[in-house]
Amino acid sequence: MKQVALITGGTRGIGLGIARQLALNGFDLALNGIREEKDVIPVMEELRALGKEVIYAQGNIALLEDHQRIIEKVNTHFGKLNILVNNAGVAPRVRADVLEVSPEDFDEVMDINLRGTFFLTQSVAQWMLKQKQEQPFESYTIINITSVSAILGSTNRAVYCMSKASLSMMSKVFAMRMAEEGIPVYEVRPGVVETDMIAKVKEIYQERIQTGLTLEKRMGQPEDIGKAVAVLAKGDISYATGQVITIDGGMTVERL
Ligand code: NAD
């Protein structure tokens, strides 16, 4: 049976790594992002070459008025949605000390990473419930991409850490509510992954990795996260709703 996945922020970085792995595992894709459709054509073509249907559902997840348009685009094209991957997220524009964070920077990060993601999930979850009533044998899954910053604090990225800690709780609460409906919800928690998000601090992280930040001495790659998401989306880890899958090269393994 055809299975459709919507990935927010799915056209680059970790989202694209997830898109590739889901396509390789047989999922049709709806990619969300803020860029114009014409600017993501090469990415869509690359993914279509893997043999699956790929559409673009443009929209800013921080704007609640965009959510219905994103969902409608998926519904009009595929008539269904099995997997939601909440991947879109931003780091603060300025790495300001916690004592200097401005209300504008606070709102920007929270509106995308938490508020937008929460309300999009709410709308998609309602749609999934409706679909499940009509198609009880289809499977539905929600996967939230958080960060090790959900549990590891940084004083110069306080709001990011707070947004990811809240997203982690959001994942738990949705897991509790959706379990009643037979829909699992998971959190995937990446460590340092080589994408545009960390480009400016790449050298610092590379040095820290060589001096023991992680157990596996390399940066994470988008595909590392994509493979974990694909396993969850396929239902290959069962009886585990609400769990956190940490993909961080061993960064958060407690050690002496
Ligand atoms: P990235 O900046 O390369 O990609 C982020 C994607 O989200 C982009 O496609 C961007 O256009 C999209 N996006 C941003 N704001 C959006 C909005 N308002 N509406 C729709 N799309 C929006 O970053 P990445 O490293 O690929 O990050 C992806 C996710 O992984 C984020 O949630 C991030 O917090 C998380 N993460 C990243 C790392 C890392 O080291 N790179 C580590 C842990 C967690």
Side-chain angles (χ1 to χ4, degrees):
M1 211 184 307
K2 188 199 250 305
Q3 292 241 309
V4 179
L6 167 63
I7 307 162
T8 65
T11 62
R12 73 168 204 220
I14 291 175
L16 180 55
I18 294 169
R20 285 196 189 106
Q21 290 302 320
L22 288 181
L24 287 170
N25 281 279
F27 290 87
D28 288 322
L29 302 175
L31 305 183
N32 153 264
I34 38 183
R35 285 184 282 174
E36 295 290 319
E37 180 146 8
K38 64 177 171 41
D39 298 328
V40 297
I41 288 170
V43 176
M44 313 264 290
E45 291 307 321
E46 182 214 308
L47 292 167
R48 284 183 187 130
L50 299 174
K52 304 313 295 178
E53 256 187 90
V54 186
I55 65 159
Y56 187 57
Q58 198 272 344
N60 179 346
I61 61 158
L63 303 176
L64 304 198
E65 59 270 29
D66 281 10
H67 292 180
Q68 222 38 53
R69 199 179 69 232
I70 296 167
I71 290 172
E72 266 320 303
K73 178 92 190 249
V74 182
N75 197 10
T76 304
H77 189 88
F78 291 113
K80 64 188 290 194
L81 180 63
N82 302 95
I83 312 288
L84 169 65
V85 184
N86 283 312
N87 163 78
V90 291
R93 278 176 202 270
V94 232
R95 289 191 165 225
D97 183 88
V98 62
L99 299 180
E100 308 293 339
V101 172
S102 69
E104 293 74 25
D105 285 346
F106 184 100
D107 288 347
E108 184 178 46
V109 171
M110 284 295 185
D111 282 354
I112 298 170
N113 294 8
L114 186 61
R115 185 174 183 268
T117 302
F118 175 85
F119 285 106
L120 180 67
T121 306
Q122 188 186 65
S123 297
V124 169
Q126 285 166 357
W127 182 28
M128 284 179 171
L129 293 187
K130 210 165 143 242
Q131 290 181 79
K132 205 167 165 63
Q133 276 177 351
E134 290 156 11
Q135 304 286 344
F137 300 111
E138 289 254 6
S139 65
Y140 304 93
T141 303
I142 297 172
I143 300 167
N144 300 306
I145 309 300
T146 63
S147 167
V148 288
S149 297
I151 53 164
L152 303 178
S154 309
T155 52
N156 63 355
R157 292 185 310 138
V159 183
Y160 181 78
C161 299
M162 289 153 62
S163 73
K164 293 295 183 178
S166 300
L167 198 57
S168 179
M169 178 52 77
M170 184 195 103
S171 212
K172 267 191 206 174
V173 177
F174 270 95
M176 290 163 67
R177 178 61 181 88
M178 300 306 278
E180 295 169 28
E181 320 288 346
I183 298 178
V185 179
Y186 304 104
E187 173 185 343
V188 172
R189 192 179 280 174
V192 179
V193 182
E194 195 171 357
T195 68
D196 291 350
M197 183 177 274
I198 60 117
K200 281 191 202 144
V201 282
K202 185 174 158 185
E203 267 83 57
I204 298 172
Y205 276 129
Q206 253 160 356
E207 216 177 288
R208 290 187 65 191
I209 286 167
Q210 290 316 314
T211 52
L213 179 68
T214 53
L215 300 182
E216 298 184 37
K217 287 198 187 305
R218 67 170 175 88
M219 277 199 170
Q221 295 300 316
E223 261 59 30
D224 295 318
I225 314 304
K227 285 178 194 166
V229 169
V231 168
L232 293 169
K234 286 194 294 174
D236 284 349
I237 298 180
S238 46
Y239 199 51
T241 191
Q243 290 307 308
V244 181
I245 313 288
T246 301
I247 310 288
D248 67 351
M251 187 196 296
T252 52
V253 170
E254 289 183 55
R255 49 205 193 263
L256 189 61

